[in-house]
Amino acid sequence: MDVTTAPSAAAQAAPPPEQPQAAFKNQDQFSALIERVSNTAGSYSEAEQLDAYTSLQRMAVTGGMIGMGADNQKLYNQVTSSSAIAQKVRQTGQAYTLAMIAGAQSGGASGARQAALDFFDKQSPSAQNILFQGHINAANMSGSTPFASVDSWRTSMLAGIKLDQYVESASAKGDPHVQARTDPKLAAALKLSDAKDQSATWAQQIADLFGLRDPIQDKVDLSDAAKQALGTVASPANPKPAPYEAGALASKTV
């Protein structure tokens, strides 16, 4: 006889026991960065605050804050929105973006890039550093930054202006994509203009497209004798005989 009893409805509906949440493995690093960004004691320089701010942002986009918990999340939101350095990053970034929008409205894509460069150049060295580190060169999801330096960014922007002007000139003649069917150079330019990665490699591709690379200087000046030995200079068709030297066999007629 089977005496097994079915489980009660309450037992069937009971949720599984909660598992303890794993500790936030980056807690020490997170806390140190939060302290620097908030700078409540006023003991950190602006450069140190900016470095901590960008490090926090890098942690956020690369998954370094997974498991941080509600309290840490609240602290992070507060510090990255209301701290002095966060406000400076946001304000300079917004002004930079508005300058680009105004440039685009009056001069298209090339005008937007030129307006961005002009805006950057008008800022103080401190503001330029904040704008570049906190906004222009912000880390992507892999943790890497688009540009190695301000000069690298500037080179890319100038190359972009050259590219934009070329496409804009073609657009004045009609649909550039239609023209590109029979114009390989324009087709390559359109492909570059759609590229998501506009870093140093992209800038060099533009330079190659428009022949802007400096020619390679790898020339060695050789003597005439060396050139003749290498075959770069033709030997005389009828070389003059050497003057006669007494006793020299090469000068005797046989």
Side-chain angles (χ1 to χ4, degrees):
M1 180 179 178
D2 185 7
V3 295
T4 303
T5 58
S8 65
Q12 289 179 332
E18 292 187 5
Q19 298 296 323
Q21 184 175 356
F24 179 32
K25 63 180 181 179
N26 293 325
Q27 183 66 65
D28 291 344
Q29 180 186 10
F30 175 82
S31 298
L33 293 174
I34 287 291
E35 180 186 356
R36 291 188 182 186
V37 172
S38 59
N39 194 33
T40 53
S43 56
Y44 296 104
S45 66
E46 182 178 82
E48 289 173 322
Q49 294 172 59
L50 179 60
D51 182 65
Y53 176 87
T54 56
S55 295
L56 269 178
Q57 295 299 83
R58 185 178 289 105
M59 282 184 67
V61 299
T62 57
M65 294 185 182
I66 295 176
M68 66 190 301
D71 290 341
N72 282 333
Q73 181 68 61
K74 182 178 179 180
L75 185 59
Y76 172 80
N77 292 341
Q78 177 184 351
V79 167
T80 55
S81 62
S82 61
S83 65
I85 192 63
Q87 291 181 15
K88 289 180 180 179
V89 170
R90 183 169 58 255
Q91 290 167 0
T92 55
Q94 288 175 346
Y96 172 84
T97 301
L98 290 174
M100 290 187 70
I101 292 173
Q105 291 173 342
S106 60
S110 62
R113 292 185 196 273
Q114 188 61 61
L117 286 171
D118 292 343
F119 177 86
F120 185 87
D121 290 339
K122 292 176 182 178
Q123 306 307 304
S124 66
S126 173
Q128 286 181 348
N129 191 41
I130 290 172
L131 177 57
F132 182 71
Q133 300 292 344
H135 183 78
I136 295 172
N137 209 35
N140 58 30
M141 294 183 68
S142 69
S144 60
T145 53
F147 306 101
S149 64
V150 171
D151 287 341
S152 177
W153 165 74
R154 185 180 295 278
T155 297
S156 193
M157 291 291 281
L158 292 173
I161 290 173
K162 178 73 175 179
L163 178 67
D164 292 337
Q165 289 175 338
Y166 180 76
V167 174
E168 288 162 359
S169 178
S171 299
K173 304 173 185 177
D175 188 337
H177 292 88
V178 174
Q179 300 176 58
R181 295 172 187 171
T182 56
D183 188 340
K185 184 175 181 179
L186 179 56
L190 290 173
K191 184 177 180 180
L192 285 170
S193 67
D194 290 336
K196 293 181 179 180
D197 182 2
Q198 299 186 0
S199 56
T201 301
W202 179 79
Q204 192 58 70
Q205 290 173 336
I206 295 174
D208 289 342
L209 179 65
F210 295 113
L212 301 178
R213 276 185 188 247
D214 293 331
I216 298 175
Q217 300 294 333
D218 192 15
K219 179 182 177 182
V220 178
D221 292 325
L222 300 176
S223 65
D224 290 340
K227 291 177 182 178
Q228 185 169 321
L230 293 174
T232 57
V233 175
S235 299
N238 296 305
K240 294 181 179 180
Y244 172 75
E245 296 181 10
L249 293 176
S251 300
K252 293 183 179 180
T253 303
V254 178

